[in-house]
Amino acid sequence: MKYVSPQTEKRKQQQKRKKQMLLGVLAAMLVVLTAVMAVAVLGGKGKDKPGSSDDAINQAQTETTQQPQITQQPDRENEDISEQDKAETEKPEKADKKPKKNKASLFGRIKSMFSKTEAMPQKFPVMAFGRNIEQAAESIISLSPMATEFILSSPSQNVLVAVTSYCNKYSFDHLMTVGTPLLPNVDKIIQIAPDVVVVQTPLSDVDRIKLEEKGIMVLQLNAPASLDDVKEIYRSVTALTHGSEIASFEAERVTASIQQKLNLYTKALEKTEKKDAVMVFNSYGMVATKDTFEADVMVNFFDVAIDGYNYYSEDFSAVAASNPQVIIASDYMTETDLVNMGFGESEAFASGNVYYVNIQQFESCSAKAIDTLCGIANTVYGDGIKVQIAAETSE
C-alpha cells in the first residue's frame, strides 16, 4: 500500500525554498559582478583614450606651445601653427569626449534597468471579501487556517501578526496565537489591535460587535468551490495591503501557474481512461463532492462522480459501494477506518492505490495540494503519463 508522507513533502519544500534563496543570492552577486566589470571596462577605456596614456602625456608636453590654439583665445606668439597642426591638436579633444558619453550612457542603462523594478501604485479604496477597504491594512489577524495559507503566500504576509493554534505558521515563528477558529481569544485580539480580522468560522454576534466597536474590521472568508474562487480569495488578501492593481496582477500570476500545471495533466490524459477516485476527509463520511474545490482540481487527474452538498454526499453507502479505483484519504485515518466505511473490497485496496496525505493542504486550498495530486497521478498512471508530461513540457 503506497503512502505519500507529509513529512517527506515538507522536507522537499524546505529544500526547494533553500534552493530558491541560493538562486536569489547568486542572482544578486551576478548583478554586482556585472556592475563591477562595467566599471572596470570603462576604466580601461579611459586609460586608452588620447590625452590620458603616457604617449599622449609626452605629446602634450612637447606641444605645450600649440595648446592655446584649441582655446577660444589663441596666443599670438603661436600664430604660425599650420592648419594641419590644429587638426591634430583637436583630435584628442574629440576623442576625449566620446568615452565620457559612453560612460554616461552605460550607467544610464544600468540605472534604468533597476528603475524598472519600482513598485506598482497602491490604489484604494478597493473591494475585498465583499467589503469596501478605504486604506491599506497595516496589521491583520487570521482566525482561519485557509486564510493564513493564502496570506502567507501573498504580498500581505508581512502584516500578518497573529493566527490560531490550528494554523500552519511555516517559518513565520514570530506570529502570535489567539485561540482557535471556534474559540478565539477576543480580549487578546483587542489588545493587539489589528486593522483587520479574517474569519472563516463566523464569530458570535457578541464577539463581532465587540471587535467592531474597537474599530477592528471583521472580514468573512467563504470556502472556495473552484479555482476561480481561489483566485478571488488571493486577490482579496493581497488587496487588503496593496490595493487593486497589484492584487489583480498577483491573483492572475498565482492561479495561472496552477492552471498551467492542471492543463498539462488534462492534455496528457486525453487518450487515457481516467480512473475513478474518491477523497475521504475523516471516518465520519466527509468526502469531496462535485461542488468542492478538491473535486474541481481532481477532475484534471481522475473521474469524480460524487453528488452532494459541499463535503456531505447524498448517499455515502453508494460512495463506498461505487468501487473506486483510487482512494485519497487523510493521514489521520487508518486502513481499519476505510474498511469500516465499506472501502475494504474496492479495487483501490486490491491494486494498492490508497494514498494517505496531509489533508490540510486541500482544506486550506494550498498550491502544494496540486503537487500532491500530480505525484499521485504519476504513480497511478505509471510511465505512460510521465512520458506524456515530458513530451508536453519539452515543446
Side-chain angles (χ1 to χ4, degrees):
M1 189 174 299
K2 299 177 178 64
Y3 177 79
V4 179
S5 170
Q7 290 80 11
T8 300
E9 182 180 357
K10 182 177 180 181
R11 186 163 56 252
K12 289 182 179 179
Q13 292 298 324
Q14 291 175 341
Q15 292 174 350
K16 182 178 179 181
R17 286 196 292 270
K18 289 180 181 179
K19 289 181 180 179
Q20 290 175 339
M21 291 176 62
L22 179 59
L23 288 174
V25 173
L26 291 175
M29 292 176 64
L30 181 60
V31 172
V32 173
L33 180 60
T34 302
V36 172
M37 290 178 64
V39 173
V41 170
L42 289 173
K45 289 183 177 180
K47 292 180 181 180
D48 295 337
K49 66 183 180 181
S52 63
S53 65
D54 293 339
D55 293 340
I57 293 174
N58 293 335
Q59 180 180 357
Q61 290 176 346
T62 59
E63 297 177 355
T64 52
T65 58
Q66 299 175 2
Q67 292 302 320
Q69 290 293 334
I70 304 175
T71 64
Q72 294 180 354
Q73 297 179 351
D75 191 345
R76 292 181 179 179
E77 294 180 1
N78 295 306
E79 290 178 353
D80 58 341
I81 296 177
S82 66
E83 292 299 324
Q84 182 178 359
D85 292 334
K86 289 181 181 180
E88 291 177 353
T89 57
E90 288 173 357
K91 286 180 181 179
E93 180 67 20
K94 292 180 180 179
D96 187 53
K97 291 181 180 179
K98 188 174 182 180
K100 290 182 179 179
K101 291 182 180 179
N102 289 340
K103 182 176 181 180
S105 176
L106 177 58
F107 279 104
R109 288 196 297 270
I110 294 175
K111 183 178 179 181
S112 64
M113 179 178 67
F114 282 99
S115 67
K116 293 179 182 178
T117 62
E118 292 179 359
M120 296 172 67
Q122 296 185 359
K123 290 194 175 181
F124 289 90
V126 63
M127 292 296 294
F129 299 106
R131 297 281 295 275
N132 192 50
I133 310 300
E134 295 291 341
Q135 60 186 15
E138 297 182 358
S139 56
I140 299 174
I141 287 179
S142 169
L143 299 182
S144 160
M146 182 183 294
T148 299
E149 181 77 26
F150 278 97
I151 294 171
L152 290 182
S153 61
S154 79
S156 298
Q157 62 179 244
N158 293 330
V159 301
L160 186 64
V161 295
V163 297
T164 74
S165 56
Y166 289 172
C167 295
N168 192 336
K169 295 183 180 182
Y170 295 103
S171 58
F172 296 83
D173 297 328
H174 66 282
L175 295 175
M176 295 177 283
T177 55
V178 286
T180 69
L182 286 173
L183 297 172
N185 189 334
V186 176
D187 291 334
K188 188 174 181 180
I189 293 173
I190 292 174
Q191 184 179 5
I192 297 172
D195 295 321
V196 172
V197 171
V198 181
V199 303
Q200 186 173 358
T201 302
L203 295 175
S204 67
D205 290 341
V206 173
D207 287 342
R208 179 179 54 78
I209 294 172
K210 194 173 181 180
L211 291 174
E212 291 182 343
E213 285 179 346
K214 296 296 182 179
I216 301 172
M217 181 180 288
V218 179
L219 300 178
Q220 178 70 46
L221 181 155
N222 296 317
S226 67
L227 188 58
D228 286 338
D229 292 343
V230 168
K231 178 179 178 180
E232 174 57 25
I233 295 174
Y234 194 88
R235 189 202 64 79
S236 290
V237 299
T238 305
L240 290 176
T241 58
H242 287 72
S244 57
E245 290 192 2
I246 296 177
S248 297
F249 173 81
E250 285 293 320
E252 289 286 349
R253 181 184 64 82
V254 171
T255 53
S257 63
I258 294 174
Q259 189 64 63
Q260 183 179 20
K261 189 173 294 185
L262 295 177
N263 291 342
L264 184 65
Y265 276 81
T266 298
K267 187 173 182 180
L269 290 168
E270 283 180 342
K271 298 180 181 180
T272 301
E273 184 178 355
K274 292 183 180 178
K275 295 185 180 296
D276 296 327
V278 59
M279 180 176 288
V280 186
F281 292 89
N282 57 38
S283 57
Y284 300 105
M286 283 187 64
V287 293
T289 63
K290 285 182 180 179
D291 63 344
T292 61
F293 164 75
E294 290 82 359
D296 188 59
V297 294
M298 281 175 64
V299 294
N300 294 274
F301 308 89
F302 309 103
D303 281 336
V304 182
I306 303 175
D307 294 319
Y309 176 72
N310 286 336
Y311 298 94
Y312 296 95
S313 65
E314 294 177 347
D315 183 2
F316 184 78
S317 60
V319 174
S322 65
N323 189 28
Q325 297 167 299
V326 177
I327 296 176
I328 303 172
S330 168
D331 54 6
Y332 288 110
M333 300 181 67
T334 64
E335 181 177 326
T336 301
D337 292 329
L338 292 174
V339 170
N340 291 339
M341 296 174 73
F343 292 109
E345 301 299 321
S346 66
E347 186 176 335
F349 264 73
S351 62
N353 281 323
V354 179
Y355 302 87
Y356 299 89
V357 301
N358 179 358
I359 209 70
Q360 190 178 27
Q361 294 177 355
F362 295 92
E363 292 174 339
S364 61
C365 299
S366 169
K368 301 179 185 66
I370 309 301
D371 293 330
T372 297
L373 288 175
C374 291
I376 293 174
N378 290 342
T379 304
V380 170
Y381 296 109
D383 294 336
I385 184 68
K386 294 177 183 177
V387 170
Q388 290 291 330
I389 293 295
E392 292 293 337
T393 54
S394 63
E395 292 181 355

